[in-house]
PDB file of all heavy atoms in Angstrom:
ATOM      1  N   PRO A   7      -8.272  -6.200  -4.955  1.00 98.00           N
ATOM      2  CA  PRO A   7      -7.814  -5.432  -6.088  1.00 98.00           C
ATOM      3  C   PRO A   7      -8.745  -4.359  -6.474  1.00 98.00           C
ATOM      4  O   PRO A   7      -9.886  -4.446  -6.281  1.00 98.00           O
ATOM      5  CB  PRO A   7      -7.690  -6.565  -7.164  1.00 98.00           C
ATOM      6  CG  PRO A   7      -8.821  -7.509  -6.903  1.00 98.00           C
ATOM      7  CD  PRO A   7      -9.069  -7.402  -5.346  1.00 98.00           C
ATOM      8  N   GLY A   8      -8.164  -3.397  -7.181  1.00 98.00           N
ATOM      9  CA  GLY A   8      -9.024  -2.332  -7.718  1.00 98.00           C
ATOM     10  C   GLY A   8      -8.183  -1.244  -8.347  1.00 98.00           C
ATOM     11  O   GLY A   8      -6.942  -1.257  -8.153  1.00 98.00           O
ATOM     12  N   THR A   9      -8.839  -0.278  -8.996  1.00 98.00           N
ATOM     13  CA  THR A   9      -8.077   0.866  -9.512  1.00 98.00           C
ATOM     14  C   THR A   9      -7.956   2.011  -8.444  1.00 98.00           C
ATOM     15  O   THR A   9      -7.004   2.735  -8.395  1.00 98.00           O
ATOM     16  CB  THR A   9      -8.859   1.361 -10.755  1.00 98.00           C
ATOM     17  OG1 THR A   9      -8.931   0.302 -11.700  1.00 98.00           O
ATOM     18  CG2 THR A   9      -8.132   2.580 -11.404  1.00 98.00           C
ATOM     19  N   ALA A  36      -4.222  -1.357  -8.975  1.00 98.00           N
ATOM     20  CA  ALA A  36      -3.877  -1.718 -10.315  1.00 98.00           C
ATOM     21  C   ALA A  36      -3.490  -0.490 -11.108  1.00 98.00           C
ATOM     22  O   ALA A  36      -4.012   0.611 -10.962  1.00 98.00           O
ATOM     23  CB  ALA A  36      -5.071  -2.387 -11.011  1.00 98.00           C
ATOM     24  N   SER A  38      -4.014  -0.045 -14.232  1.00 97.00           N
ATOM     25  CA  SER A  38      -5.216   0.301 -15.010  1.00 97.00           C
ATOM     26  C   SER A  38      -5.014   1.440 -16.031  1.00 97.00           C
ATOM     27  O   SER A  38      -5.842   2.314 -16.119  1.00 97.00           O
ATOM     28  CB  SER A  38      -6.374   0.627 -14.081  1.00 97.00           C
ATOM     29  OG  SER A  38      -6.793  -0.459 -13.311  1.00 97.00           O
ATOM     30  N   LYS A  41      -7.702   2.775 -18.214  1.00 97.00           N
ATOM     31  CA  LYS A  41      -8.833   3.571 -17.687  1.00 97.00           C
ATOM     32  C   LYS A  41      -8.446   5.066 -17.483  1.00 97.00           C
ATOM     33  O   LYS A  41      -9.241   5.822 -17.050  1.00 97.00           O
ATOM     34  CB  LYS A  41      -9.167   2.995 -16.281  1.00 97.00           C
ATOM     35  CG  LYS A  41      -9.888   1.645 -16.411  1.00 97.00           C
ATOM     36  CD  LYS A  41     -10.486   1.158 -15.114  1.00 97.00           C
ATOM     37  CE  LYS A  41     -11.218  -0.137 -15.266  1.00 97.00           C
ATOM     38  NZ  LYS A  41     -11.802  -0.696 -14.076  1.00 97.00           N
ATOM     39  N   PHE A  69       0.420  -2.690  -8.470  1.00 98.00           N
ATOM     40  CA  PHE A  69       0.861  -3.786  -9.371  1.00 98.00           C
ATOM     41  C   PHE A  69       0.495  -3.465 -10.822  1.00 98.00           C
ATOM     42  O   PHE A  69      -0.428  -2.690 -11.063  1.00 98.00           O
ATOM     43  CB  PHE A  69       0.261  -5.122  -8.884  1.00 98.00           C
ATOM     44  CG  PHE A  69      -1.228  -5.358  -9.303  1.00 98.00           C
ATOM     45  CD1 PHE A  69      -1.535  -6.152 -10.421  1.00 98.00           C
ATOM     46  CD2 PHE A  69      -2.205  -4.741  -8.636  1.00 98.00           C
ATOM     47  CE1 PHE A  69      -2.871  -6.391 -10.778  1.00 98.00           C
ATOM     48  CE2 PHE A  69      -3.555  -4.857  -9.014  1.00 98.00           C
ATOM     49  CZ  PHE A  69      -3.881  -5.764 -10.066  1.00 98.00           C
ATOM     50  N   GLY A  71       0.892  -6.010 -13.572  1.00 96.00           N
ATOM     51  CA  GLY A  71       0.654  -7.201 -14.459  1.00 96.00           C
ATOM     52  C   GLY A  71      -0.701  -7.838 -14.224  1.00 96.00           C
ATOM     53  O   GLY A  71      -1.682  -7.139 -13.951  1.00 96.00           O
ATOM     54  N   LEU A  72      -0.721  -9.168 -14.347  1.00 97.00           N
ATOM     55  CA  LEU A  72      -1.960  -9.898 -14.128  1.00 97.00           C
ATOM     56  C   LEU A  72      -2.273 -10.026 -12.610  1.00 97.00           C
ATOM     57  O   LEU A  72      -1.313 -10.325 -11.857  1.00 97.00           O
ATOM     58  CB  LEU A  72      -1.829 -11.330 -14.679  1.00 97.00           C
ATOM     59  CG  LEU A  72      -2.196 -11.578 -16.180  1.00 97.00           C
ATOM     60  CD1 LEU A  72      -2.042 -13.018 -16.496  1.00 97.00           C
ATOM     61  CD2 LEU A  72      -3.612 -11.071 -16.415  1.00 97.00           C
ATOM     62  N   LEU A  73      -3.496  -9.898 -12.269  1.00 98.00           N
ATOM     63  CA  LEU A  73      -3.849 -10.011 -10.854  1.00 98.00           C
ATOM     64  C   LEU A  73      -3.496 -11.354 -10.279  1.00 98.00           C
ATOM     65  O   LEU A  73      -3.052 -11.485  -9.106  1.00 98.00           O
ATOM     66  CB  LEU A  73      -5.390  -9.722 -10.790  1.00 98.00           C
ATOM     67  CG  LEU A  73      -5.973  -9.860  -9.381  1.00 98.00           C
ATOM     68  CD1 LEU A  73      -5.290  -8.836  -8.358  1.00 98.00           C
ATOM     69  CD2 LEU A  73      -7.478  -9.528  -9.477  1.00 98.00           C
ATOM     70  N   LYS A  87     -13.585  -9.044  -3.718  1.00 97.00           N
ATOM     71  CA  LYS A  87     -14.189  -7.879  -4.366  1.00 97.00           C
ATOM     72  C   LYS A  87     -15.494  -7.465  -3.728  1.00 97.00           C
ATOM     73  O   LYS A  87     -16.185  -8.283  -3.165  1.00 97.00           O
ATOM     74  CB  LYS A  87     -14.569  -8.303  -5.861  1.00 97.00           C
ATOM     75  CG  LYS A  87     -13.455  -8.702  -6.856  1.00 97.00           C
ATOM     76  CD  LYS A  87     -12.437  -7.610  -7.069  1.00 97.00           C
ATOM     77  CE  LYS A  87     -12.881  -6.236  -7.661  1.00 97.00           C
ATOM     78  NZ  LYS A  87     -12.825  -6.160  -9.043  1.00 97.00           N
ATOM     79  N   TYR A  97     -20.074  -7.567 -14.738  1.00 93.00           N
ATOM     80  CA  TYR A  97     -18.570  -7.264 -14.886  1.00 93.00           C
ATOM     81  C   TYR A  97     -17.793  -8.084 -13.931  1.00 93.00           C
ATOM     82  O   TYR A  97     -16.775  -8.670 -14.219  1.00 93.00           O
ATOM     83  CB  TYR A  97     -18.502  -5.749 -14.563  1.00 93.00           C
ATOM     84  CG  TYR A  97     -17.097  -5.163 -14.471  1.00 93.00           C
ATOM     85  CD1 TYR A  97     -16.215  -5.193 -15.626  1.00 93.00           C
ATOM     86  CD2 TYR A  97     -16.641  -4.539 -13.259  1.00 93.00           C
ATOM     87  CE1 TYR A  97     -14.905  -4.690 -15.438  1.00 93.00           C
ATOM     88  CE2 TYR A  97     -15.413  -4.044 -13.168  1.00 93.00           C
ATOM     89  CZ  TYR A  97     -14.561  -4.107 -14.269  1.00 93.00           C
ATOM     90  OH  TYR A  97     -13.307  -3.491 -14.119  1.00 93.00           O
ATOM     91  N   MET A 101     -15.018 -11.094 -14.579  1.00 96.00           N
ATOM     92  CA  MET A 101     -13.604 -11.076 -14.069  1.00 96.00           C
ATOM     93  C   MET A 101     -13.375 -12.326 -13.206  1.00 96.00           C
ATOM     94  O   MET A 101     -12.273 -12.884 -13.253  1.00 96.00           O
ATOM     95  CB  MET A 101     -13.386  -9.804 -13.259  1.00 96.00           C
ATOM     96  CG  MET A 101     -13.056  -8.586 -14.111  1.00 96.00           C
ATOM     97  SD  MET A 101     -12.276  -7.285 -13.187  1.00 96.00           S
ATOM     98  CE  MET A 101     -13.617  -6.694 -12.284  1.00 96.00           C
ATOM     99  N   LEU A 104     -12.803 -15.267 -15.541  1.00 97.00           N
ATOM    100  CA  LEU A 104     -11.521 -15.146 -16.148  1.00 97.00           C
ATOM    101  C   LEU A 104     -10.371 -15.501 -15.201  1.00 97.00           C
ATOM    102  O   LEU A 104      -9.474 -16.307 -15.531  1.00 97.00           O
ATOM    103  CB  LEU A 104     -11.341 -13.747 -16.726  1.00 97.00           C
ATOM    104  CG  LEU A 104     -10.065 -13.465 -17.484  1.00 97.00           C
ATOM    105  CD1 LEU A 104      -9.968 -14.374 -18.726  1.00 97.00           C
ATOM    106  CD2 LEU A 104      -9.974 -12.051 -17.932  1.00 97.00           C
ATOM    107  N   ASN A 105     -10.438 -14.964 -13.980  1.00 98.00           N
ATOM    108  CA  ASN A 105      -9.365 -15.191 -13.006  1.00 98.00           C
ATOM    109  C   ASN A 105      -9.438 -16.685 -12.641  1.00 98.00           C
ATOM    110  O   ASN A 105      -8.350 -17.293 -12.330  1.00 98.00           O
ATOM    111  CB  ASN A 105      -9.587 -14.357 -11.823  1.00 98.00           C
ATOM    112  CG  ASN A 105      -9.118 -12.880 -12.077  1.00 98.00           C
ATOM    113  OD1 ASN A 105      -8.105 -12.671 -12.859  1.00 98.00           O
ATOM    114  ND2 ASN A 105      -9.815 -11.942 -11.484  1.00 98.00           N
TER     115      ASN A 105
HETATM  116  O1  PNS B 201     -11.740  -1.194  -9.436  1.00 65.79           O
HETATM  117  P1  PNS B 201     -11.800  -1.761 -10.823  1.00 65.79           P
HETATM  118  O2  PNS B 201     -11.259  -0.860 -11.799  1.00 65.79           O
HETATM  119  O3  PNS B 201     -13.139  -2.324 -11.157  1.00 65.79           O
HETATM  120  O4  PNS B 201     -10.785  -3.088 -10.724  1.00 65.79           O
HETATM  121  C1  PNS B 201     -10.478  -3.829 -11.817  1.00 65.79           C
HETATM  122  C2  PNS B 201      -9.252  -4.661 -11.681  1.00 65.79           C
HETATM  123  C3  PNS B 201      -8.050  -3.774 -11.400  1.00 65.79           C
HETATM  124  C4  PNS B 201      -9.460  -5.516 -10.494  1.00 65.79           C
HETATM  125  C5  PNS B 201      -8.994  -5.510 -12.951  1.00 65.79           C
HETATM  126  O5  PNS B 201      -9.011  -4.665 -14.037  1.00 65.79           O
HETATM  127  C6  PNS B 201      -7.709  -6.283 -12.854  1.00 65.79           C
HETATM  128  O6  PNS B 201      -7.628  -7.293 -12.191  1.00 65.79           O
HETATM  129  N1  PNS B 201      -6.667  -5.759 -13.587  1.00 65.79           N
HETATM  130  C7  PNS B 201      -5.341  -6.423 -13.577  1.00 65.79           C
HETATM  131  C8  PNS B 201      -5.071  -7.104 -14.969  1.00 65.79           C
HETATM  132  C9  PNS B 201      -5.747  -8.474 -14.955  1.00 65.79           C
HETATM  133  O7  PNS B 201      -5.402  -9.397 -14.170  1.00 65.79           O
HETATM  134  N2  PNS B 201      -6.752  -8.650 -15.849  1.00 65.79           N
HETATM  135  C10 PNS B 201      -7.402  -9.885 -15.999  1.00 65.79           C
HETATM  136  C11 PNS B 201      -8.576 -10.016 -14.964  1.00 65.79           C
HETATM  137  S1  PNS B 201      -9.894  -8.920 -15.312  1.00 65.79           S
END
Side-chain angles (χ1 to χ4, degrees):
T9 303
S38 295
K41 292 190 175 177
F69 79 104
L72 272 182
L73 179 56
K87 296 297 305 266
Y97 172 64
M101 277 199 287
L104 182 62
N105 286 326

